[in-house]
């Protein structure tokens, strides 16, 4: 097969591993920077050009679109879809997953367990919003945040009010969420490929932190997940329409709750923690599902 990996950074672990795995499986693989692509939007002959050349003959595209380039990156993915090329995650699903509020609404509608979450525009209802999620301690999250940035734990109602007012003053969109203290600073990343969780790791936050993101100094170990966690992760990915997803789950007193469904989950942390060949599983999925 001829496979394109859409990534801005050929040298990072995830891109390298996918490239390697594709080669090991005997495929021709090209790493393409989506920001250097330009597209021709016509009905008879849609095309993507890269460094002056028309891209042709691709059987499948693996999008690795970072949050900062969602708009242009997904436009390029969509253009490949218009050309009839199979894309591992569809552009519409990537866009959906990038909007935290929309994602939570879709997951809630389908009965996926979530932390109690509130959202409001008006400054008049700060107190009501705090009460809605059961009061402090609570978590305030910027909708645009990634890798734990813009996620704040407010330990008292007073602190929560101050953070909410500060975010409002900055005209930022944010969520207010029940704090799942019983997870004790640990979350579970389930790596979903197709209808399976191919690997799972537990991330634990560093001392004095409540966010377990590896970018925030968290550490990861492999974890055995329960059947309920497994089915929650697979269902969450399916509801978002993602074939490959990193589903973040907290173990709460009311069962597994989903924090987020990531459409370009990193491979380094989870391959290192679990020793599994996740890049190989992704390529296998591409082989089995790309229309030939
Ligand atoms: P990001 O997309 O920036 O990673 P998350 O919503 O996943 O944001 O939050 C980052 C981390 O903060 C999570 O991995 C988790 O450890 C912690 N966290 C987030 N929300 C909650 C919550 N409601 N209760 C407890 N911990 C939370």
């Amino acid at each position: 097969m001829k496979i394109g990996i859409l990534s801005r950074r050929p040298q990072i672990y995830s891109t390298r591993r996918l490239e390697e795995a594709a080669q090991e499986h005997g495929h021709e693989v090209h790493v393409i920077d989506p920001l250097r692509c330009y597209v021709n939007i016509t009905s008879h002959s849609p095309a993507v050009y890269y460094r002056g050349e028309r891209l042709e003959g691709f059987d499948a595209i693996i999008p690795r679109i970072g949050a900062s380039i969602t708009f242009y990156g997904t436009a390029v993915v969509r253009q490949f879809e218009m050309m009839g090329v199979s894309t591992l995650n569809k552009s519409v699903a990537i866009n959906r997953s990038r909007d935290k509020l929309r994602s939570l609404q879709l997951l809630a509608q389908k009965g996926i367990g979530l932390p109690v979450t509130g959202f409001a525009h008006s400054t008049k209802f700060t107190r009501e919003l705090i009460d809605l999620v059961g009061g402090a301690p609570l978590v305030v999250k910027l909708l645009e945040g990634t890798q734990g940035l813009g996620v704040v734990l407010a330990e008292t109602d007073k602190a929560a009010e101050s953070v909410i007012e500060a975010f409002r003053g900055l005209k930022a969109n944010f969520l207010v969420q029940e704090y799942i203290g019983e997870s004790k600073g640990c979350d579970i990343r389930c790596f979903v490929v197709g209808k399976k969780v191919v690997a799972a790791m537990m991330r634990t936050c560093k001392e004095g932190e409540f966010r377990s993101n590896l970018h925030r100094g968290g550490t990861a170990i492999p974890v055995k997940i329960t059947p309920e966690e497994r089915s929650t992760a697979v269902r969450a990915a399916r509801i978002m329409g993602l074939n490959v997803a990193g589903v973040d789950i907290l173990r709460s007193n009311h069962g597994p709750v989903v924090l987020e469904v990531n459409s370009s989950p990193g491979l380094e942390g989870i391959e290192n923690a679990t020793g599994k060949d996740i890049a190989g599983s992704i390529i296998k999925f591409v082989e089995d599902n790309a229309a030939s």
Side-chain angles (χ1 to χ4, degrees):
M1 290 175 74
K2 183 167 169 182
I3 298 175
I5 301 173
L6 276 187
S7 166
R8 290 228 64 202
R9 294 182 293 164
Q11 72 289 358
I12 63 162
Y13 182 95
S14 300
T15 316
R16 278 194 289 112
R17 283 286 298 126
L18 287 165
E19 191 179 10
E20 250 168 52
Q23 282 162 350
E24 274 163 24
H25 286 231
H27 304 300
E28 177 185 338
V29 58
H30 298 261
V31 178
I32 302 163
D33 178 349
L35 293 192
R36 294 188 175 207
C37 290
Y38 53 101
V39 304
N40 181 1
I41 305 170
T42 64
S43 56
H44 59 281
S45 170
V48 176
Y49 292 86
Y50 186 57
R51 294 182 170 147
E53 270 177 47
R54 188 180 168 124
L55 295 180
E56 271 170 314
F58 281 87
D59 300 296
I61 290 292
I62 300 178
R64 300 285 309 175
I65 306 296
S68 60
I69 62 151
T70 301
F71 179 76
Y72 196 76
T74 53
V76 174
V77 176
R78 199 159 47 242
Q79 185 74 7
F80 278 106
E81 288 161 7
M82 289 174 59
M83 291 157 59
V85 180
S86 164
T87 53
L88 178 61
N89 278 336
K90 294 270 168 286
S91 55
V92 63
I94 300 171
N95 269 319
R96 198 183 282 136
S97 75
R98 288 289 151 81
D99 181 337
K100 283 193 191 191
L101 183 60
R102 182 176 176 195
S103 304
L104 293 178
Q105 286 174 317
L106 288 171
L107 296 170
Q109 189 193 28
K110 300 287 183 192
I112 296 286
L114 303 171
V116 179
T117 304
F119 177 71
H121 178 71
S122 169
T123 43
K124 286 197 191 129
F125 303 111
T126 303
R127 191 60 247 175
E128 285 81 350
L129 198 57
I130 293 172
D131 291 343
L132 193 76
V133 302
L138 56 79
V139 177
V140 188
K141 280 183 199 184
L142 281 180
L143 284 187
E144 292 79 22
T146 60
Q147 301 177 342
L149 292 173
V151 180
V152 180
L153 172 61
E155 305 205 51
T156 63
D157 286 356
K158 209 77 225 121
E161 275 175 39
S162 306
V163 175
I164 292 172
E165 276 156 22
F167 280 178
R168 282 225 170 93
L170 294 169
K171 303 213 181 316
N173 281 315
F174 58 88
L175 299 172
V176 177
Q177 203 165 60
E178 162 196 20
Y179 174 59
I180 309 292
E182 60 270 27
S183 69
K184 299 192 174 69
C186 296
D187 76 354
I188 296 173
R189 159 63 59 95
C190 296
F191 204 106
V192 178
V193 178
K195 295 190 178 77
K196 280 196 200 136
V197 175
V198 295
M201 64 176 168
M202 179 179 274
R203 298 178 296 199
T204 304
C205 62
K206 69 173 187 206
E207 183 87 29
E209 185 42 89
F210 81 102
R211 297 163 299 180
S212 47
N213 305 69
L214 301 183
H215 287 94
R216 306 264 74 74
T219 49
I221 52 167
V223 65
K224 194 166 163 34
I225 56 172
T226 65
E228 192 188 5
E229 288 162 351
R230 194 170 287 278
S231 76
T232 299
V234 171
R235 284 186 58 222
R238 204 182 53 224
I239 292 164
M240 301 305 296
L242 293 167
N243 290 318
V244 166
V247 182
D248 294 343
I249 288 180
L250 294 181
R251 286 181 167 163
S252 84
N253 290 336
H254 45 98
V257 291
V258 171
L259 283 184
E260 183 174 36
V261 183
N262 193 317
S263 58
S264 281
L267 296 181
E268 186 167 18
I270 195 143
E271 284 198 341
N272 286 336
T274 64
K276 294 201 171 152
D277 175 15
I278 299 171
S281 306
I282 292 175
I283 299 299
K284 177 87 181 43
F285 182 88
V286 170
E287 290 166 357
D288 293 344
N289 291 276
S292 50

